[in-house]
Amino acid sequence: MDMFPESAPQESEERLVREAMAEAAEGAPPLPDLVPVALAVGRARRARARAAIGGGMVGVVALGVFGAMLPSWGTASPVSARPTTGAPAPTSLHAGPRRAPVHIQPTPGESSMADLPAAERKRQEEFQQQAAAVLNELLPAAFGTVRPVDLAVSRYQGSSGDHVFPVVFSVRPTGGLAQEPPCQDVPAAKYQCERVNLMDGMTAHAITSTGISKGGKEVVGVSVSFVFKDSTVVLSADGDDSAAVSAPVTADQLLRVARDERFLRLVRYAEASPMEPRQESAHGG
């Protein structure tokens, strides 16, 4: 069977995003509206710290590459327990053993994939297995083994030795409101955005951002985002703050992942059979 094909950010989340970015870029040019990417990467930061704890590691600092600019997760659920779309679980694209998911215990008031109806949970878990296998093949070997995170369908984790690298692969429907946000560098915040040609007339934003780890060292993360039909796609990789190690991937390498047919096949399935809550407001709304 061929496979292809989260609700608007909460008001509190939008407020925190804007306040954090304003503080980081004080005296710098006005920031673009980065809510969709910011939320995904900000969530990755929190997922990194919690996934490391769930994997038996300690001392991970929830700072993140986009540290000063982005908030960590709020209490809003990243996954809505909604009825299944009726689409069956996709069949495997890649043979091989299943990857044991990284378990993250939800915070009080937060839901997870465990709260989904059984059929929908199975569908999302199968998608995660396939996505993890594809990401493992396409991301640089330094990511180690890429595994799904059981908190939300968009969360993954690369693990190499003692290093933990959070990965976000999100395909969020927008209800026809999908549009490309502005792309603007913010040198004062060490935030670089480049608008590039993805393929076939489609454009993407390739973002490189630098945060400061607890030890005072710079940690770099990268993100690629683009609009696909009525969905916003985000692929991001964060560094390991506890070890002050940047994400072992460049923006160009992440773009190559986004252009690969194996990755795009996953995007097409997720766009046609959504697994994340719909974004209810347009950029800046």
Side-chain angles (χ1 to χ4, degrees), residues 6-247:
E6 182 176 72
S7 82
Q10 298 294 322
E11 291 182 2
S12 60
E13 286 185 305
E14 292 184 350
R15 176 176 55 78
L16 289 173
V17 170
R18 294 190 178 102
E19 289 177 356
M21 289 193 294
E23 180 180 352
E26 184 175 355
L31 285 172
D33 187 351
L34 304 172
V35 170
V37 177
L39 289 177
V41 180
R43 287 172 175 167
R45 291 167 39 219
R46 186 167 177 226
R48 171 186 53 260
R50 296 171 64 195
I53 294 171
M57 296 183 63
V58 295
V60 175
V61 180
L63 171 64
V65 211
F66 289 64
M69 296 183 65
L70 303 174
S72 59
W73 271 350
T75 56
S77 168
V79 177
S80 288
R82 55 180 178 168
T84 179
T85 60
T91 54
S92 296
L93 294 172
H94 300 268
R98 291 182 66 83
R99 299 161 190 265
V102 176
H103 175 64
I104 297 179
Q105 187 67 26
T107 59
E110 181 181 44
S111 63
S112 73
M113 291 174 64
D115 300 302
L116 294 169
E120 179 62 10
R121 178 180 178 180
K122 180 179 179 180
R123 183 173 78 98
Q124 294 192 15
E125 288 175 342
E126 287 299 319
F127 178 86
Q128 279 192 315
Q129 288 292 324
Q130 295 176 56
V134 169
L135 292 171
N136 212 133
E137 291 181 8
L138 299 179
L139 289 171
F143 273 90
T145 301
V146 177
R147 299 164 57 193
V149 174
D150 68 359
L151 189 63
V153 69
S154 59
R155 313 301 164 198
Y156 301 83
Q157 174 183 292
S159 179
S160 179
D162 292 334
H163 297 155
V164 173
F165 303 112
V167 176
V168 168
F169 170 31
S170 170
V171 183
R172 177 183 291 198
T174 60
L177 298 173
Q179 57 181 284
E180 188 179 80
C183 183
Q184 180 177 332
D185 291 346
V186 187
K190 296 187 176 181
Y191 178 98
Q192 297 176 320
C193 179
E194 181 181 5
R195 188 171 182 265
V196 299
N197 178 54
L198 188 65
M199 60 181 181
D200 300 331
M202 293 174 58
T203 59
H205 289 180
I207 296 169
T208 302
S209 186
T210 303
I212 305 299
S213 71
K214 186 177 181 180
K217 296 182 179 179
E218 292 187 343
V219 180
V220 179
V222 295
S223 177
V224 168
S225 65
F226 58 95
V227 172
F228 183 82
K229 296 185 178 180
D230 289 333
S231 296
T232 298
V233 180
V234 175
L235 175 63
S236 69
D238 210 352
D240 186 335
D241 290 326
S242 65
V245 175
S246 296

